[in-house]
Each structure stands twice: as C-alpha cells, then as structure tokens.
Amino acid sequence: MSDLNGCFLITFTLVAYIAIACYCDICFKVIYNRLNIIFFLVALSAQYCSGGLPGVATAFAGMLAGFSILIIPYRKEWACGGDVKFLLTLGAFVGPSQVFFSTLYGLILMGIVSAIYLLIRGKTGRKQEGKDSRNTIERFPLSVFFGLGALLYWLYNVLILTRV
C-alpha cells in the first residue's frame, strides 16, 4: 500500500508542477528558476519517500537524462534554458526511461499541433516577401507539450501497465 501512496505522491506533485510551469510558460513566456528548484527538491523528496535511496538515484538519473535530451537543442537555440530546466526537473519526477518517452510523446503532440496550426494559418513554409523571418518566428511553449507527453506516458504506465 505504501507503493501506491508513493505513486500518488509523485503523480500529485508532478501534475502540480506541470500545471504551474505551463501556466508560467504560456502567460509570461518564462519558467522561473525558483519554480524549477522548488519542484526539483520536491521531486527528490517524493522519490525518497516512495523509494528510499534508490528512488533518489532514480531522480538524479532522470535529471541527467532530461538534461541530456535538450542540451543540444539548447546550444542550437531551438529550445530555451527554462525548457531544459523543466525537462531536468521532469526527469527527477519520472526517471530516465520515462523522461525519454515523455519527451518523445511531447514531440509527437507538438508535431501534430504544429501541422494543424500551419494548415489553419495557411503557412506552408515558404518565405514571405518583405518580412524579416527572424522577427516573425512564432514559438510554441515546449513545456506544454513535454508536460502533456509526460502526463500521458505517466498515466499510461500507472493506470494500464501496472494493472497487467
């Protein structure tokens, strides 16, 4: 029963973190460092409460996995620093393998939404005449897609795979 309570603790704090980070990213276009630090410490605590020192080791492995996934896109300026720290903290919650699949789910969601958005807006990727392309770049908040991908994969694991 304590394993179920630990799972509930991690799920509850994970959902709270994703909701707050997505709100900040959508409304203010930033994920605050304080938010990431606080929830990283919460993730470590939740992992310790649910799994002891092996849980903390899982959190650190997930943190490194989350960091390594976005470090190259960050260096290429495809992602912002807040997105890297968001995925780092997300990895501390869910662990290394789940942060990889969560990111994959998030990228798939982002691709689908981007394609729909471009179809609706009528943009086909052709450069528009007379406009500076650097000033007209529209960016989606990555935290929303990575967060949704994490929730989908986490709930799939918790609700479906654990019952088999």
Side-chain angles (χ1 to χ4, degrees):
M1 187 69 175
S2 65
D3 186 39
L4 185 60
N5 289 337
C7 183
F8 176 74
L9 176 67
I10 292 173
T11 303
F12 179 75
T13 53
L14 176 66
V15 169
Y17 172 62
I18 290 171
I20 295 168
C22 289
Y23 175 79
C24 291
D25 201 9
I26 290 169
C27 292
F28 309 115
K29 302 207 183 312
V30 66
I31 303 172
Y32 297 103
N33 288 336
R34 281 188 220 134
L35 178 72
N36 287 319
I37 291 169
I38 289 169
F39 275 96
F40 177 73
L41 294 174
V42 169
L44 287 178
S45 300
Q47 290 286 11
Y48 180 76
C49 289
S50 66
L53 289 180
V56 173
T58 299
F60 277 109
M63 174 196 75
L64 289 174
F67 176 78
S68 65
I69 289 170
L70 275 188
I71 192 62
I72 292 174
Y74 171 72
R75 298 288 293 166
K76 297 268 188 191
E77 297 181 3
W78 299 338
C80 298
D83 299 321
V84 175
K85 291 176 263 188
F86 175 77
L87 210 55
L88 183 144
T89 304
L90 196 66
F93 275 107
V94 299
S97 64
Q98 289 187 348
V99 76
F100 172 75
F101 287 107
S102 298
T103 305
L104 183 62
Y105 280 30
L107 290 173
I108 291 169
L109 284 172
M110 187 172 71
I112 292 168
V113 170
S114 297
I116 293 169
Y117 176 79
L118 291 174
L119 287 172
I120 290 172
R121 294 284 307 249
K123 296 183 179 183
T124 59
R126 288 178 261 139
K127 187 174 180 179
Q128 296 177 355
E129 295 295 324
K131 290 189 177 182
D132 184 14
S133 62
R134 290 179 296 186
N135 293 334
T136 60
I137 293 176
E138 297 178 38
R139 294 185 183 215
F140 289 122
L142 293 179
S143 65
V144 173
F145 298 105
F146 292 151
L148 286 174
L151 289 177
L152 287 173
Y153 191 71
W154 181 259
L155 291 174
Y156 171 74
N157 277 330
V158 170
L159 296 177
I160 295 178
L161 293 183
T162 57
R163 297 195 190 261
V164 174

PDB file of all heavy atoms in Angstrom, residues 8-24 35 39 42 86 93 151:
ATOM      1  N   PHE A   8       1.006   7.941  -5.747  1.00  0.00           N
ATOM      2  CA  PHE A   8       0.059   9.050  -5.678  1.00  0.00           C
ATOM      3  C   PHE A   8       0.783  10.350  -5.359  1.00  0.00           C
ATOM      4  O   PHE A   8       0.492  11.393  -5.950  1.00  0.00           O
ATOM      5  CB  PHE A   8      -1.020   8.774  -4.637  1.00  0.00           C
ATOM      6  CG  PHE A   8      -1.973   9.928  -4.467  1.00  0.00           C
ATOM      7  CD1 PHE A   8      -2.930  10.198  -5.436  1.00  0.00           C
ATOM      8  CD2 PHE A   8      -1.895  10.753  -3.365  1.00  0.00           C
ATOM      9  CE1 PHE A   8      -3.789  11.269  -5.308  1.00  0.00           C
ATOM     10  CE2 PHE A   8      -2.750  11.829  -3.220  1.00  0.00           C
ATOM     11  CZ  PHE A   8      -3.696  12.082  -4.192  1.00  0.00           C
ATOM     12  N   LEU A   9       1.743  10.299  -4.438  1.00  0.00           N
ATOM     13  CA  LEU A   9       2.503  11.490  -4.062  1.00  0.00           C
ATOM     14  C   LEU A   9       3.256  12.050  -5.260  1.00  0.00           C
ATOM     15  O   LEU A   9       3.209  13.251  -5.536  1.00  0.00           O
ATOM     16  CB  LEU A   9       3.474  11.156  -2.921  1.00  0.00           C
ATOM     17  CG  LEU A   9       4.420  12.260  -2.475  1.00  0.00           C
ATOM     18  CD1 LEU A   9       3.626  13.398  -1.835  1.00  0.00           C
ATOM     19  CD2 LEU A   9       5.457  11.714  -1.520  1.00  0.00           C
ATOM     20  N   ILE A  10       3.935  11.178  -5.990  1.00  0.00           N
ATOM     21  CA  ILE A  10       4.684  11.629  -7.165  1.00  0.00           C
ATOM     22  C   ILE A  10       3.727  12.147  -8.244  1.00  0.00           C
ATOM     23  O   ILE A  10       3.973  13.190  -8.851  1.00  0.00           O
ATOM     24  CB  ILE A  10       5.575  10.494  -7.703  1.00  0.00           C
ATOM     25  CG1 ILE A  10       6.690  10.199  -6.695  1.00  0.00           C
ATOM     26  CG2 ILE A  10       6.172  10.871  -9.053  1.00  0.00           C
ATOM     27  CD1 ILE A  10       7.521   8.990  -7.029  1.00  0.00           C
ATOM     28  N   THR A  11       2.636  11.447  -8.479  1.00  0.00           N
ATOM     29  CA  THR A  11       1.672  11.866  -9.506  1.00  0.00           C
ATOM     30  C   THR A  11       1.072  13.227  -9.163  1.00  0.00           C
ATOM     31  O   THR A  11       0.974  14.101 -10.026  1.00  0.00           O
ATOM     32  CB  THR A  11       0.560  10.820  -9.672  1.00  0.00           C
ATOM     33  OG1 THR A  11       1.155   9.565  -9.985  1.00  0.00           O
ATOM     34  CG2 THR A  11      -0.409  11.211 -10.758  1.00  0.00           C
ATOM     35  N   PHE A  12       0.671  13.414  -7.919  1.00  0.00           N
ATOM     36  CA  PHE A  12       0.061  14.676  -7.498  1.00  0.00           C
ATOM     37  C   PHE A  12       1.036  15.841  -7.662  1.00  0.00           C
ATOM     38  O   PHE A  12       0.686  16.885  -8.227  1.00  0.00           O
ATOM     39  CB  PHE A  12      -0.411  14.579  -6.045  1.00  0.00           C
ATOM     40  CG  PHE A  12      -1.015  15.843  -5.538  1.00  0.00           C
ATOM     41  CD1 PHE A  12      -2.285  16.230  -5.938  1.00  0.00           C
ATOM     42  CD2 PHE A  12      -0.312  16.669  -4.676  1.00  0.00           C
ATOM     43  CE1 PHE A  12      -2.850  17.410  -5.485  1.00  0.00           C
ATOM     44  CE2 PHE A  12      -0.857  17.849  -4.215  1.00  0.00           C
ATOM     45  CZ  PHE A  12      -2.136  18.229  -4.615  1.00  0.00           C
ATOM     46  N   THR A  13       2.271  15.665  -7.194  1.00  0.00           N
ATOM     47  CA  THR A  13       3.241  16.758  -7.301  1.00  0.00           C
ATOM     48  C   THR A  13       3.670  16.976  -8.753  1.00  0.00           C
ATOM     49  O   THR A  13       3.922  18.103  -9.158  1.00  0.00           O
ATOM     50  CB  THR A  13       4.468  16.502  -6.405  1.00  0.00           C
ATOM     51  OG1 THR A  13       5.008  15.222  -6.694  1.00  0.00           O
ATOM     52  CG2 THR A  13       4.099  16.590  -4.939  1.00  0.00           C
ATOM     53  N   LEU A  14       3.725  15.906  -9.524  1.00  0.00           N
ATOM     54  CA  LEU A  14       4.063  16.035 -10.947  1.00  0.00           C
ATOM     55  C   LEU A  14       3.014  16.855 -11.688  1.00  0.00           C
ATOM     56  O   LEU A  14       3.343  17.765 -12.454  1.00  0.00           O
ATOM     57  CB  LEU A  14       4.199  14.655 -11.586  1.00  0.00           C
ATOM     58  CG  LEU A  14       4.452  14.606 -13.092  1.00  0.00           C
ATOM     59  CD1 LEU A  14       5.815  15.198 -13.418  1.00  0.00           C
ATOM     60  CD2 LEU A  14       4.366  13.183 -13.592  1.00  0.00           C
ATOM     61  N   VAL A  15       1.753  16.554 -11.442  1.00  0.00           N
ATOM     62  CA  VAL A  15       0.665  17.304 -12.090  1.00  0.00           C
ATOM     63  C   VAL A  15       0.699  18.770 -11.661  1.00  0.00           C
ATOM     64  O   VAL A  15       0.531  19.673 -12.494  1.00  0.00           O
ATOM     65  CB  VAL A  15      -0.702  16.655 -11.782  1.00  0.00           C
ATOM     66  CG1 VAL A  15      -1.853  17.543 -12.213  1.00  0.00           C
ATOM     67  CG2 VAL A  15      -0.797  15.296 -12.453  1.00  0.00           C
ATOM     68  N   ALA A  16       0.942  19.022 -10.385  1.00  0.00           N
ATOM     69  CA  ALA A  16       1.016  20.405  -9.906  1.00  0.00           C
ATOM     70  C   ALA A  16       2.172  21.146 -10.574  1.00  0.00           C
ATOM     71  O   ALA A  16       2.008  22.298 -11.021  1.00  0.00           O
ATOM     72  CB  ALA A  16       1.182  20.424  -8.387  1.00  0.00           C
ATOM     73  N   TYR A  17       3.323  20.502 -10.664  1.00  0.00           N
ATOM     74  CA  TYR A  17       4.486  21.137 -11.299  1.00  0.00           C
ATOM     75  C   TYR A  17       4.214  21.448 -12.769  1.00  0.00           C
ATOM     76  O   TYR A  17       4.485  22.555 -13.239  1.00  0.00           O
ATOM     77  CB  TYR A  17       5.720  20.244 -11.165  1.00  0.00           C
ATOM     78  CG  TYR A  17       6.905  20.740 -11.947  1.00  0.00           C
ATOM     79  CD1 TYR A  17       7.470  21.984 -11.661  1.00  0.00           C
ATOM     80  CD2 TYR A  17       7.452  19.997 -12.974  1.00  0.00           C
ATOM     81  CE1 TYR A  17       8.551  22.451 -12.385  1.00  0.00           C
ATOM     82  CE2 TYR A  17       8.531  20.457 -13.701  1.00  0.00           C
ATOM     83  CZ  TYR A  17       9.084  21.685 -13.396  1.00  0.00           C
ATOM     84  OH  TYR A  17      10.149  22.146 -14.122  1.00  0.00           O
ATOM     85  N   ILE A  18       3.686  20.483 -13.489  1.00  0.00           N
ATOM     86  CA  ILE A  18       3.427  20.691 -14.913  1.00  0.00           C
ATOM     87  C   ILE A  18       2.406  21.811 -15.110  1.00  0.00           C
ATOM     88  O   ILE A  18       2.576  22.665 -15.980  1.00  0.00           O
ATOM     89  CB  ILE A  18       2.973  19.379 -15.575  1.00  0.00           C
ATOM     90  CG1 ILE A  18       4.151  18.396 -15.646  1.00  0.00           C
ATOM     91  CG2 ILE A  18       2.407  19.621 -16.968  1.00  0.00           C
ATOM     92  CD1 ILE A  18       3.764  17.003 -16.083  1.00  0.00           C
ATOM     93  N   ALA A  19       1.358  21.834 -14.305  1.00  0.00           N
ATOM     94  CA  ALA A  19       0.323  22.869 -14.444  1.00  0.00           C
ATOM     95  C   ALA A  19       0.894  24.262 -14.183  1.00  0.00           C
ATOM     96  O   ALA A  19       0.650  25.198 -14.968  1.00  0.00           O
ATOM     97  CB  ALA A  19      -0.834  22.575 -13.487  1.00  0.00           C
ATOM     98  N   ILE A  20       1.674  24.410 -13.125  1.00  0.00           N
ATOM     99  CA  ILE A  20       2.227  25.727 -12.797  1.00  0.00           C
ATOM    100  C   ILE A  20       3.249  26.160 -13.841  1.00  0.00           C
ATOM    101  O   ILE A  20       3.251  27.315 -14.294  1.00  0.00           O
ATOM    102  CB  ILE A  20       2.845  25.715 -11.380  1.00  0.00           C
ATOM    103  CG1 ILE A  20       1.756  25.480 -10.335  1.00  0.00           C
ATOM    104  CG2 ILE A  20       3.582  27.013 -11.093  1.00  0.00           C
ATOM    105  CD1 ILE A  20       2.281  25.175  -8.948  1.00  0.00           C
ATOM    106  N   ALA A  21       4.128  25.247 -14.257  1.00  0.00           N
ATOM    107  CA  ALA A  21       5.154  25.589 -15.249  1.00  0.00           C
ATOM    108  C   ALA A  21       4.517  25.955 -16.586  1.00  0.00           C
ATOM    109  O   ALA A  21       4.949  26.910 -17.250  1.00  0.00           O
ATOM    110  CB  ALA A  21       6.135  24.430 -15.413  1.00  0.00           C
ATOM    111  N   CYS A  22       3.503  25.209 -16.996  1.00  0.00           N
ATOM    112  CA  CYS A  22       2.829  25.514 -18.266  1.00  0.00           C
ATOM    113  C   CYS A  22       2.121  26.857 -18.194  1.00  0.00           C
ATOM    114  O   CYS A  22       2.146  27.630 -19.156  1.00  0.00           O
ATOM    115  CB  CYS A  22       1.850  24.407 -18.634  1.00  0.00           C
ATOM    116  SG  CYS A  22       2.648  22.886 -19.146  1.00  0.00           S
ATOM    117  N   TYR A  23       1.485  27.149 -17.070  1.00  0.00           N
ATOM    118  CA  TYR A  23       0.830  28.441 -16.891  1.00  0.00           C
ATOM    119  C   TYR A  23       1.840  29.575 -17.035  1.00  0.00           C
ATOM    120  O   TYR A  23       1.594  30.553 -17.756  1.00  0.00           O
ATOM    121  CB  TYR A  23       0.141  28.502 -15.527  1.00  0.00           C
ATOM    122  CG  TYR A  23      -0.453  29.851 -15.230  1.00  0.00           C
ATOM    123  CD1 TYR A  23      -1.670  30.230 -15.780  1.00  0.00           C
ATOM    124  CD2 TYR A  23       0.210  30.756 -14.406  1.00  0.00           C
ATOM    125  CE1 TYR A  23      -2.211  31.477 -15.526  1.00  0.00           C
ATOM    126  CE2 TYR A  23      -0.315  32.004 -14.149  1.00  0.00           C
ATOM    127  CZ  TYR A  23      -1.525  32.364 -14.702  1.00  0.00           C
ATOM    128  OH  TYR A  23      -2.049  33.594 -14.454  1.00  0.00           O
ATOM    129  N   CYS A  24       2.981  29.447 -16.361  1.00  0.00           N
ATOM    130  CA  CYS A  24       4.016  30.481 -16.448  1.00  0.00           C
ATOM    131  C   CYS A  24       4.555  30.606 -17.869  1.00  0.00           C
ATOM    132  O   CYS A  24       4.776  31.715 -18.360  1.00  0.00           O
ATOM    133  CB  CYS A  24       5.160  30.173 -15.481  1.00  0.00           C
ATOM    134  SG  CYS A  24       4.720  30.331 -13.746  1.00  0.00           S
ATOM    135  N   LEU A  35      10.806  28.156  -9.385  1.00  0.00           N
ATOM    136  CA  LEU A  35       9.820  27.090  -9.568  1.00  0.00           C
ATOM    137  C   LEU A  35      10.523  25.764  -9.845  1.00  0.00           C
ATOM    138  O   LEU A  35      10.194  24.738  -9.244  1.00  0.00           O
ATOM    139  CB  LEU A  35       8.875  27.447 -10.714  1.00  0.00           C
ATOM    140  CG  LEU A  35       7.819  26.405 -11.059  1.00  0.00           C
ATOM    141  CD1 LEU A  35       6.751  26.366  -9.973  1.00  0.00           C
ATOM    142  CD2 LEU A  35       7.197  26.717 -12.401  1.00  0.00           C
ATOM    143  N   PHE A  39      10.466  22.561  -7.165  1.00  0.00           N
ATOM    144  CA  PHE A  39       9.889  21.277  -7.549  1.00  0.00           C
ATOM    145  C   PHE A  39      10.946  20.202  -7.769  1.00  0.00           C
ATOM    146  O   PHE A  39      10.643  19.017  -7.635  1.00  0.00           O
ATOM    147  CB  PHE A  39       8.963  21.427  -8.760  1.00  0.00           C
ATOM    148  CG  PHE A  39       7.576  21.817  -8.364  1.00  0.00           C
ATOM    149  CD1 PHE A  39       7.184  23.138  -8.391  1.00  0.00           C
ATOM    150  CD2 PHE A  39       6.677  20.862  -7.932  1.00  0.00           C
ATOM    151  CE1 PHE A  39       5.901  23.496  -8.011  1.00  0.00           C
ATOM    152  CE2 PHE A  39       5.396  21.198  -7.550  1.00  0.00           C
ATOM    153  CZ  PHE A  39       5.002  22.535  -7.582  1.00  0.00           C
ATOM    154  N   VAL A  42      11.210  18.981  -4.346  1.00  0.00           N
ATOM    155  CA  VAL A  42      10.008  18.199  -4.072  1.00  0.00           C
ATOM    156  C   VAL A  42      10.109  16.829  -4.740  1.00  0.00           C
ATOM    157  O   VAL A  42       9.744  15.808  -4.147  1.00  0.00           O
ATOM    158  CB  VAL A  42       8.741  18.962  -4.537  1.00  0.00           C
ATOM    159  CG1 VAL A  42       7.512  18.066  -4.515  1.00  0.00           C
ATOM    160  CG2 VAL A  42       8.517  20.198  -3.671  1.00  0.00           C
ATOM    161  N   PHE A  86      13.095  22.637 -17.117  1.00  0.00           N
ATOM    162  CA  PHE A  86      11.805  21.972 -16.959  1.00  0.00           C
ATOM    163  C   PHE A  86      11.953  20.466 -17.181  1.00  0.00           C
ATOM    164  O   PHE A  86      11.473  19.659 -16.395  1.00  0.00           O
ATOM    165  CB  PHE A  86      10.782  22.552 -17.944  1.00  0.00           C
ATOM    166  CG  PHE A  86       9.454  21.854 -17.942  1.00  0.00           C
ATOM    167  CD1 PHE A  86       8.536  22.087 -16.924  1.00  0.00           C
ATOM    168  CD2 PHE A  86       9.120  20.956 -18.938  1.00  0.00           C
ATOM    169  CE1 PHE A  86       7.310  21.437 -16.903  1.00  0.00           C
ATOM    170  CE2 PHE A  86       7.900  20.310 -18.938  1.00  0.00           C
ATOM    171  CZ  PHE A  86       6.996  20.548 -17.913  1.00  0.00           C
ATOM    172  N   PHE A  93      11.260  13.644 -11.461  1.00  0.00           N
ATOM    173  CA  PHE A  93       9.988  13.052 -11.057  1.00  0.00           C
ATOM    174  C   PHE A  93       9.797  11.650 -11.624  1.00  0.00           C
ATOM    175  O   PHE A  93       9.382  10.748 -10.905  1.00  0.00           O
ATOM    176  CB  PHE A  93       8.805  13.921 -11.511  1.00  0.00           C
ATOM    177  CG  PHE A  93       8.445  15.021 -10.582  1.00  0.00           C
ATOM    178  CD1 PHE A  93       8.736  16.332 -10.901  1.00  0.00           C
ATOM    179  CD2 PHE A  93       7.806  14.767  -9.382  1.00  0.00           C
ATOM    180  CE1 PHE A  93       8.399  17.355 -10.052  1.00  0.00           C
ATOM    181  CE2 PHE A  93       7.465  15.787  -8.521  1.00  0.00           C
ATOM    182  CZ  PHE A  93       7.768  17.090  -8.860  1.00  0.00           C
ATOM    183  N   LEU A 151       2.524  13.512 -18.820  1.00  0.00           N
ATOM    184  CA  LEU A 151       1.287  13.056 -18.166  1.00  0.00           C
ATOM    185  C   LEU A 151       0.679  11.868 -18.894  1.00  0.00           C
ATOM    186  O   LEU A 151       0.229  10.905 -18.266  1.00  0.00           O
ATOM    187  CB  LEU A 151       0.285  14.198 -18.077  1.00  0.00           C
ATOM    188  CG  LEU A 151       0.620  15.306 -17.097  1.00  0.00           C
ATOM    189  CD1 LEU A 151      -0.421  16.407 -17.159  1.00  0.00           C
ATOM    190  CD2 LEU A 151       0.746  14.770 -15.691  1.00  0.00           C
TER     191      LEU A 151
END
